[in-house]
Coordinates of all heavy atoms in Angstrom, one line a residue:
A52 N 16.8 -0.3 12.4 CA 17.3 -1.6 12.2 C 17.0 -2.1 10.8 O 17.8 -2.7 10.1 CB 16.8 -2.6 13.2
L53 N 15.7 -1.9 10.3 CA 15.4 -2.3 9.0 C 16.2 -1.5 7.9 O 16.6 -2.1 7.0 CB 13.9 -2.2 8.7 CG 13.4 -2.6 7.4 CD1 13.7 -4.1 7.1 CD2 11.9 -2.4 7.2
A54 N 16.3 -0.2 8.2 CA 17.1 0.6 7.3 C 18.5 0.1 7.1 O 19.0 0.0 6.0 CB 17.1 2.0 7.7
E55 N 19.1 -0.3 8.2 CA 20.5 -0.8 8.2 C 20.5 -2.1 7.4 O 21.4 -2.3 6.6 CB 21.0 -1.0 9.6 CG 22.4 -1.4 9.7 CD 22.9 -1.6 11.2 OE1 22.5 -0.8 12.0 OE2 23.7 -2.5 11.4
R56 N 19.6 -3.0 7.7 CA 19.5 -4.3 6.9 C 19.3 -4.1 5.4 O 19.8 -4.8 4.6 CB 18.4 -5.2 7.4 CG 18.7 -5.7 8.8 CD 17.6 -6.6 9.2 NE 17.8 -7.2 10.5 CZ 17.0 -8.1 11.1 NH1 15.9 -8.5 10.5 NH2 17.2 -8.5 12.3
M57 N 18.5 -3.0 5.1 CA 18.2 -2.7 3.7 C 19.3 -1.9 3.0 O 19.3 -1.6 1.8 CB 16.9 -2.0 3.5 CG 15.7 -2.9 3.9 SD 14.1 -2.0 3.6 CE 14.1 -2.0 1.8
H58 N 20.3 -1.4 3.8 CA 21.4 -0.5 3.3 C 20.7 0.7 2.7 O 21.1 1.2 1.6 CB 22.3 -1.2 2.3 CG 22.9 -2.5 2.8 ND1 23.9 -2.5 3.7 CD2 22.6 -3.8 2.6 CE1 24.2 -3.7 4.0 NE2 23.4 -4.5 3.3
T59 N 19.8 1.3 3.5 CA 19.1 2.5 3.1 C 19.0 3.4 4.3 O 19.4 3.1 5.4 CB 17.8 2.2 2.4 OG1 17.3 3.4 1.7 CG2 16.8 1.7 3.3
S60 N 18.3 4.5 4.1 CA 18.1 5.5 5.2 C 16.8 5.2 5.9 O 15.9 4.5 5.4 CB 18.0 6.9 4.6 OG 16.8 7.0 3.8
R61 N 16.7 5.7 7.1 CA 15.5 5.5 7.9 C 14.3 6.3 7.2 O 13.2 5.9 7.3 CB 15.7 6.1 9.3 CG 14.5 5.8 10.2 CD 14.8 6.2 11.7 NE 13.7 6.0 12.5 CZ 12.6 6.9 12.6 NH1 12.6 8.0 11.9 NH2 11.6 6.6 13.4
A62 N 14.6 7.4 6.6 CA 13.6 8.1 5.9 C 13.0 7.3 4.7 O 11.8 7.4 4.5 CB 14.2 9.4 5.3
Q63 N 13.8 6.5 4.1 CA 13.3 5.6 3.0 C 12.4 4.6 3.6 O 11.3 4.2 3.1 CB 14.4 5.0 2.2 CG 14.0 4.0 1.2 CD 13.1 4.6 0.1 OE1 13.0 5.8 -0.1 NE2 12.4 3.7 -0.6
V64 N 12.8 4.0 4.8 CA 11.9 3.0 5.5 C 10.6 3.7 5.9 O 9.5 3.1 5.7 CB 12.6 2.4 6.7 CG1 11.7 1.6 7.5 CG2 13.8 1.6 6.2
D65 N 10.6 4.9 6.3 CA 9.4 5.7 6.6 C 8.5 5.8 5.4 O 7.3 5.6 5.5 CB 9.7 7.1 7.1 CG 10.0 7.1 8.6 OD1 9.6 6.3 9.3 OD2 10.8 8.1 9.0
R66 N 9.1 6.1 4.2 CA 8.3 6.2 3.0 C 7.7 4.8 2.7 O 6.5 4.8 2.2 CB 9.2 6.7 1.9 CG 9.4 8.2 1.9 CD 10.1 8.7 0.6 NE 11.5 8.3 0.5 CZ 12.5 8.9 1.1 NH1 12.3 10.0 1.8 NH2 13.7 8.5 0.9
I67 N 8.4 3.8 2.8 CA 7.9 2.4 2.6 C 6.7 2.1 3.5 O 5.7 1.7 3.0 CB 9.0 1.3 2.7 CG1 10.1 1.5 1.7 CG2 8.4 -0.1 2.7 CD1 11.4 0.7 1.9
L68 N 6.9 2.4 4.8 CA 5.9 2.0 5.8 C 4.7 2.9 5.7 O 3.6 2.5 6.1 CB 6.5 2.0 7.2 CG 7.5 1.0 7.5 CD1 8.1 1.1 8.9 CD2 7.0 -0.4 7.2
K69 N 4.8 4.1 5.1 CA 3.7 5.0 4.9 C 3.1 4.9 3.5 O 2.2 5.5 3.2 CB 4.1 6.4 5.2 CG 4.4 6.8 6.6 CD 4.8 8.2 6.8 CE 5.2 8.5 8.2 NZ 5.7 9.8 8.4
A70 N 3.7 4.0 2.7 CA 3.3 3.8 1.3 C 3.3 5.1 0.6 O 2.4 5.4 -0.2 CB 2.0 3.0 1.3
K71 N 4.3 5.9 0.7 CA 4.4 7.2 0.1 C 5.4 7.1 -1.1 O 6.5 6.5 -0.9 CB 4.9 8.3 1.1 CG 3.9 8.5 2.2 CD 2.7 9.3 1.7 CE 1.8 9.6 2.9 NZ 0.6 10.1 2.5
G72 N 5.1 7.7 -2.2 CA 6.0 7.8 -3.3 C 5.9 6.5 -4.1 O 5.0 5.7 -4.0
N73 N 6.8 6.4 -5.0 CA 6.8 5.2 -6.0 C 7.6 4.1 -5.4 O 8.8 4.0 -5.6 CB 7.4 5.7 -7.3 CG 7.2 4.7 -8.4 OD1 6.4 3.7 -8.2 ND2 7.8 4.8 -9.5
I74 N 7.0 3.2 -4.6 CA 7.6 2.1 -4.0 C 7.5 0.9 -5.0 O 6.5 0.5 -5.4 CB 7.0 1.7 -2.7 CG1 7.0 2.9 -1.7 CG2 7.6 0.5 -2.0 CD1 6.1 2.8 -0.6

Side-chain angles (χ1 to χ4, degrees):
L53 181 59
E55 186 176 321
R56 289 182 182 186
M57 291 183 75
H58 304 288
T59 192
S60 67
R61 186 175 178 277
Q63 176 62 15
V64 170
D65 277 334
R66 283 190 289 276
I67 293 167
L68 296 177
K69 290 178 182 177
K71 297 286 184 191
N73 189 13
I74 302 166

